[in-house]
Amino acid sequence: TRQVTDFPHLLIAPSDFMATPAQKPSLYERLGGIYPISCVVDDLIDRVMTDARLNANPLVNEAHHKVPPPGFKYLVTEMVGWASGGPQQYSGRSMRDSHQHLNITPKEWEAFMDDFQQSLNKFNVPAAEQAELKAIVQSTYGDIVIGKDETS
């Protein structure tokens, strides 16, 4: 005669009835997916491209006029989607490869972060998600900030 244990797929463990803690949604999910991300990026790139604090660096100014803003927005949106846990795969160059020749200074980084903060605030991104996004961006500092601030 057969036993219940002969059919392991029919066995039910007590854990099958216990609630498992819900997994916290990814940052990508909490931001609402690619559409809200693309709105913040669109606003941010418009700010960055016209920021006199950034364009005072002739290398940055030249770079801002070499690439069409829609392409830049696409790559940044793709990167944010990927970095926040979305399904996107970033297809652009590394942060170091795309920024090292620009001689970006700590003051220019701060100007960029100010632009970023303004865009996050404009779209009412919640504080917790802002902190996570800023930590992701901050992790690229060493690959982007190569120049030194001038001393007065």
Side-chain angles (χ1 to χ4, degrees):
T1 72
R2 295 193 154 240
Q3 305 266 333
V4 172
T5 54
D6 292 337
F7 302 96
H9 62 283
L10 296 178
L11 295 178
I12 299 172
S15 61
D16 292 338
F17 296 105
M18 300 174 128
T20 55
Q23 187 171 349
K24 182 179 179 181
S26 69
L27 176 57
Y28 178 82
E29 293 168 311
R30 287 179 283 128
L31 291 170
I34 203 65
Y35 294 107
I37 289 170
S38 69
C39 291
V40 173
V41 170
D42 181 62
D43 185 75
L44 173 62
I45 300 309
D46 286 346
R47 287 178 197 280
V48 167
M49 293 289 200
T50 59
D51 188 330
R53 299 170 297 177
L54 300 174
N55 288 326
N57 174 335
L59 298 171
V60 170
N61 189 45
E62 180 184 348
H64 282 169
H65 292 91
K66 268 188 186 173
V67 296
F72 191 33
K73 290 174 182 184
Y74 169 79
L75 288 171
V76 175
T77 299
E78 187 179 68
M79 181 190 303
V80 174
W82 167 79
S84 64
Q88 295 73 23
Q89 292 295 313
Y90 176 60
S91 61
R93 296 185 297 158
S94 73
M95 291 298 96
R96 180 171 296 282
D97 287 348
S98 58
H99 293 87
Q100 66 185 355
H101 65 287
L102 300 177
N103 203 33
I104 293 172
T105 67
K107 281 186 181 171
E108 291 161 351
W109 175 265
E110 290 305 317
F112 168 80
M113 291 303 288
D114 177 55
D115 289 337
F116 187 38
Q117 185 66 61
Q118 290 180 52
S119 293
L120 293 171
N121 290 345
K122 177 178 177 179
F123 289 94
N124 300 312
V125 176
E129 284 72 22
Q130 282 195 25
E132 286 183 61
L133 285 167
K134 288 189 278 190
I136 290 168
V137 173
Q138 192 65 40
S139 74
T140 67
Y141 182 93
D143 289 333
I144 293 175
V145 179
I146 308 295
K148 305 276 187 252
D149 287 329
E150 291 182 21
T151 55
S152 323

